[in-house]
Amino acid sequence: MADRKPKNRIFWIIAIAIALMLLLLAVLQFKARSYIENFLSQKIPDHIHLTYSQIHVNLISGSVGLTDVGLDFLDEDSNRRKAGMRLDAIDIKGVGYYQALFGNTISVREIQLLRPKGEYYQGGHQVEKDGISASDSAKERTLSIAQLSVVDGEFRIFGKDPDTLVFSMENLNLSLENLKMDKEIVERIIPFAYGDYDLSTGMVYADLGPFEALTLSGTTITNKELQLSNLSLKSKYNKITLSRKLDKEHDYIDLEIPEVVMTNMDFGFNAERFFLNTKSVVLQYPKMEIYRDKLVQDDYEQKKLYSRMLRELPIDLNVSEIKVNDGYISYSELVKSGTVPGEIVFADLGATISNVSNTQESGEKTEIKAVAQLMGEAPIELTWNFDVHKENDAFFVSGVVTNFKSKSINQFLRSNLRTEAEGDVQELYFTVSGDAISSTGDMKMNYEDFRFTVLKKDRMGVNKLLTFVGNIFTNDGSKTDESGYRYGEIYSERDNTKSFFNYLWLNVMDGIVNTLTGDGKKE
């Protein structure tokens, strides 16, 4: 009997201790919930409105959860809604109480944003940064998040007109590891540091201005490899409607690339300048149609050569190699109303572009090597290089065309030059050295039975007089050297309101005319 009393006393001591601990935990749970609710209602600036249906707090697991969350950012002057987000839930897990209470770090194991739908409205005043900046005491703390996850998110940007969609992204899934913010990192342009990340999206839409839009069916980034699926860059209007809306020349474009892959990608900021580095970019099966209505007033804005474009980019770019696999390009021009636009086609296009960079040492050149089938039948090779740091935009181009039947290009010649050609070019070689002002070069051709026909202005018949006179000065290919070649010289001055490819075309045409009508001898 005497032994039973001490045992009962021990039992009750343990029971009371457990009860007190449970009571204390319940009080702390209530206090923690009350503290978080007060913080969310009182510490958030007035121009940020937060709503939620329920809040869950678990001190034992260190978790906090909000459901049916709404977040609105208002313009402080006009009180208009500038941005907003709706989420099914926000789950915060693994909060480190000890480090928060006795240290200088707020650590969290995981934050998950479930099905967020975000919107941003352009125009008007921006939300002032001072309104949401951290206090000095908060800046002294370090925030560490082991993993941030976004699950099935959506995001949209609207223009000055709230009904105008500028950008949208669907099915956004993001996993970001080892996020960190401290008083030094928060002052950077990207106010946090991070480790590994994975990202995937569904459909992406971007408005590129009044005439074009870009879409993607999907995006993934894993282990610094970016993959874009079904990239499409297209004019918003058909050719006829686009021409009616233009007050100066602007190309109709239809570009589709089923797959783009970028490897070893790295990006960020050096000081305040954004940089993008990647080892390789591969474009699989790109198909592009370009159409120009020459009846629309010319665009007299000065055009930059590609070396200058790279040199003056507002970012630091370094791409080791770009590869184009099995591409297709068609370019057509409408020169006279009521006629069929002349078209040039490059099929089976393959290209390698090395050292696409504006950060390399002076003297390191960007090099382009391309092969294709001109008009789908004549092999063509093009080699082109330039030094991005050369202020005069110096470049060198060489090309080879073989087994070309001139009649295949007659549609383009008929529309653009009011001529037709007959005869075959077995070989055509050219080299051009130039800069932003002028260029020189040479050409050699092996051809036979070459003749020009000059058409009437309405292109409905032959101008016999001009055809006769023109062919008097055109060698049919019978007067050649012992190797079967005729030679010509190239000289061209650049029209800086035209593109580089117009410049190259002028050089090739000048070489062809000089070869056909000159003495054909090698200088």
Side-chain angles (χ1 to χ4, degrees):
M1 189 72 178
D3 292 341
R4 186 178 300 176
K5 287 184 178 180
K7 290 181 179 179
N8 288 339
R9 189 178 297 113
I10 293 172
F11 170 78
W12 282 108
I13 291 172
I14 294 173
I16 291 171
I18 291 174
L20 289 174
M21 289 178 63
L22 292 174
L23 179 61
L24 178 62
L25 183 62
V27 172
L28 291 175
Q29 182 92 358
F30 176 80
K31 288 289 186 181
R33 177 184 174 123
S34 178
Y35 174 81
I36 293 173
E37 288 178 332
N38 290 335
F39 178 86
L40 295 178
S41 63
Q42 297 178 14
K43 298 298 183 180
I44 294 179
D46 292 339
H47 65 279
I48 301 177
H49 291 179
L50 172 68
T51 61
Y52 54 90
S53 63
Q54 290 183 325
I55 182 170
H56 306 282
V57 179
N58 190 321
L59 286 178
I60 297 176
S61 64
S63 63
V64 179
L66 301 174
T67 59
D68 295 329
V69 183
L71 194 60
D72 292 310
F73 296 86
L74 306 181
D75 183 271
E76 292 185 275
D77 296 328
S78 65
N79 210 37
R80 290 185 296 109
R81 185 169 181 263
K82 289 291 297 177
M85 184 177 291
R86 300 290 179 268
L87 304 95
D88 284 4
I90 300 176
D91 290 324
I92 303 173
K93 300 176 182 179
V95 178
Y97 297 119
Y98 183 85
Q99 291 173 305
L101 293 173
F102 301 103
N104 204 33
T105 299
I106 300 174
S107 65
V108 178
R109 186 176 73 249
E110 181 183 3
I111 296 179
Q112 185 178 82
L113 310 180
L114 186 61
R115 284 184 284 278
K117 296 182 178 180
E119 298 175 347
Y120 177 78
Y121 297 88
Q122 294 179 339
H125 299 287
Q126 299 289 332
V127 176
E128 294 294 334
K129 184 177 180 181
D130 291 342
I132 59 174
S133 62
S135 63
D136 290 338
S137 59
K139 286 182 179 180
E140 294 299 322
R141 287 182 174 270
T142 296
L143 173 63
S144 175
I145 303 171
Q147 184 174 37
L148 172 67
S149 300
V150 177
V151 180
D152 292 337
E154 297 180 12
F155 183 65
R156 289 176 172 81
I157 299 176
F158 295 91
K160 293 182 179 180
D161 181 350
D163 295 328
T164 303
L165 183 64
V166 176
F167 177 85
S168 69
M169 180 183 294
E170 300 177 359
N171 299 325
L172 170 64
N173 289 277
L174 171 67
S175 175
L176 201 57
E177 297 183 359
N178 299 323
L179 271 79
K180 184 179 179 181
M181 293 177 62
D182 57 28
K183 62 181 181 180
E184 295 181 356
I185 295 174
V186 77
E187 300 295 333
R188 301 174 185 173
I189 295 178
I190 299 179
F192 56 88
Y194 57 91
D196 293 338
Y197 59 92
D198 292 327
L199 178 145
S200 68
T201 74
M203 184 65 71
V204 177
Y205 169 85
D207 189 312
L208 301 182
F211 303 119
E212 288 86 31
L214 181 144
T215 61
L216 297 164
S217 68
T219 305
T220 59
I221 303 178
T222 305
N223 297 325
K224 295 187 177 181
E225 178 174 298
L226 168 68
Q227 181 172 332
L228 307 178
S229 299
N230 297 317
L231 183 151
S232 173
L233 195 162
K234 295 188 177 185
S235 295
K236 297 177 181 178
Y237 311 100
N238 62 37
K239 297 171 184 176
I240 296 174
T241 303
L242 177 63
S243 294
R244 289 173 180 167
K245 290 182 174 291
L246 296 175
D247 56 10
K248 62 181 179 180
E249 198 172 72
H250 186 90
D251 290 345
Y252 168 92
I253 186 169
D254 185 346
L255 170 64
E256 294 183 351
I257 309 177
E259 184 180 67
V260 179
V261 178
M262 185 182 297
T263 59
N264 287 10
M265 182 180 64
D266 186 26
F267 59 88
F269 285 88
N270 287 325
E272 295 187 357
R273 188 172 171 88
F274 182 79
F275 71 86
L276 172 62
N277 301 327
T278 183
K279 181 178 180 180
S280 171
V281 178
V282 180
L283 312 180
Q284 296 282 17
Y285 316 120
K287 182 178 180 181
M288 181 164 62
E289 177 189 357
I290 302 173
Y291 166 80
R292 180 172 299 176
D293 187 345
K294 298 295 289 183
L295 302 178
V296 179
Q297 179 178 317
D298 286 344
D299 178 8
Y300 294 107
E301 180 181 351
Q302 291 191 0
K303 311 299 189 301
K304 300 176 183 179
L305 296 183
Y306 290 104
S307 52
R308 184 178 174 186
M309 288 183 188
L310 275 172
R311 188 168 60 248
E312 296 181 357
L313 277 177
I315 68 171
D316 288 338
L317 179 68
N318 188 5
V319 181
S320 299
E321 183 179 78
I322 299 175
K323 296 198 74 172
V324 178
N325 293 329
D326 199 11
Y328 177 94
I329 298 175
S330 73
Y331 173 79
S332 58
E333 286 186 357
L334 179 64
V335 177
K336 182 177 175 59
S337 180
T339 62
V340 177
E343 182 181 39
I344 294 181
V345 171
F346 298 92
D348 302 327
L349 173 65
T352 300
I353 310 172
S354 304
N355 200 26
V356 183
S357 172
N358 56 9
T359 61
Q360 78 273 42
E361 297 292 330
S362 179
E364 295 183 23
K365 294 183 178 181
T366 301
E367 297 188 352
I368 300 98
K369 295 181 179 180
V371 296
Q373 299 288 322
L374 178 59
M375 304 306 291
E377 59 182 31
I380 180 172
E381 299 178 15
L382 186 72
T383 302
W384 168 24
N385 65 58
F386 55 82
D387 182 349
V388 68
H389 296 294
K390 291 287 187 180
E391 295 288 339
N392 66 346
D393 295 315
F395 65 90
F396 174 82
V397 179
S398 65
V400 181
V401 181
T402 57
N403 300 322
F404 177 65
K405 299 183 183 301
S406 60
K407 65 179 182 180
S408 68
I409 205 172
N410 273 341
Q411 183 191 25
F412 186 82
L413 296 176
R414 189 182 304 116
S415 175
N416 292 67
L417 301 177
R418 202 157 51 88
T419 62
E420 291 181 349
E422 59 181 75
D424 297 335
V425 177
Q426 278 76 44
E427 298 170 280
L428 183 153
Y429 299 86
F430 69 88
T431 60
V432 176
S433 297
D435 54 30
I437 297 174
S438 64
S439 56
T440 60
D442 53 64
M443 179 176 287
K444 70 175 183 179
M445 293 175 62
N446 181 338
Y447 63 95
E448 60 184 26
D449 299 328
F450 207 92
R451 290 285 186 271
F452 277 111
T453 299
V454 181
L455 304 178
K456 294 180 179 179
K457 289 184 179 181
D458 61 5
R459 294 166 175 79
M460 300 301 291
V462 176
N463 187 319
K464 295 181 179 180
L465 177 59
L466 291 180
T467 298
F468 174 75
V469 173
N471 283 313
I472 290 177
F473 297 99
T474 301
N475 189 281
D476 64 2
S478 59
K479 296 180 180 180
T480 65
D481 67 4
E482 61 276 9
S483 299
Y485 294 108
R486 286 181 57 82
Y487 298 85
E489 295 182 350
I490 295 173
Y491 176 78
S492 182
E493 294 183 359
R494 182 179 176 234
D495 180 350
N496 60 14
T497 67
K498 305 294 185 182
S499 70
F500 171 80
F501 290 104
N502 172 270
Y503 191 15
L504 181 60
W505 170 253
L506 292 178
N507 279 275
V508 173
M509 286 301 297
D510 185 77
I512 291 174
V513 171
N514 189 267
T515 303
L516 294 176
T517 62
D519 60 18
K521 296 180 180 180
K522 188 174 182 179
E523 296 294 330

